[in-house]
Amino acid sequence: QVQLVESGGGLVQPGGSLSLSCAASGSIIEIKIMGWYRQAPGKQRELVARIISGGDTNYADSVKGRFIVFRDNAKNTVMLQMYSLKPEDTAVYYCNALLWPHGSDHYFEYWGQGTQVTVSS
């Protein structure tokens, strides 16, 4: 069974840095996209950053120049390095992957359990 397991997150002061990591486990043929979404209280879940298998990346305008997403394909992991954090970055961050598991004939979307990031002084 495929799972996305996140690590990282926590409390950081404004202007600080934090990193998140997500590992996909299970029997996987291919991972097409891995990335991060976030959801703040009272708001919809939104894309933060994602990386496609060929290396292309997409970022939310609000995090461009401050966040970096990268993958380790050999380990089926995706990382999010966050710099210059602001209070408005406070949210639950979810790992997301579009992948092809063994025993299936198509891709499925998976989500991690979420990890809290709080930016506050």
Side-chain angles (χ1 to χ4, degrees):
Q1 184 175 355
V2 174
Q3 285 186 316
L4 301 182
V5 179
E6 299 145 340
S7 60
L11 174 64
V12 64
Q13 292 187 342
S17 302
L18 209 57
S19 63
L20 305 179
S21 181
C22 171
S25 64
S27 187
I28 300 168
I29 295 175
E30 181 187 12
I31 301 178
K32 185 179 287 285
I33 303 172
M34 291 192 84
W36 296 89
Y37 287 71
R38 67 186 180 188
Q39 187 167 19
K43 295 188 177 182
Q44 288 189 332
R45 191 173 296 189
E46 63 174 0
L47 173 69
V48 177
R50 66 179 186 174
I51 182 166
I52 303 170
S53 57
D56 289 342
T57 56
N58 300 119
Y59 292 91
D61 288 342
S62 60
V63 307
K64 283 181 181 176
R66 300 188 298 120
F67 290 12
I68 302 172
V69 63
F70 52 101
R71 280 174 66 170
D72 183 337
N73 291 325
K75 297 180 179 179
N76 286 342
T77 60
V78 63
M79 284 70 71
L80 184 68
Q81 186 63 49
M82 303 180 287
Y83 300 98
S84 301
L85 283 159
K86 305 175 181 180
E88 50 263 44
D89 293 317
T90 295
V92 177
Y93 283 67
Y94 295 92
C95 180
N96 173 270
L98 181 67
L99 60 86
W100 184 4
H102 273 284
S104 173
D105 60 356
H106 60 275
Y107 291 88
F108 284 92
E109 185 177 36
Y110 289 84
W111 292 91
Q113 78 281 4
T115 185
Q116 178 71 45
V117 172
T118 302
V119 184
S120 175
S121 55

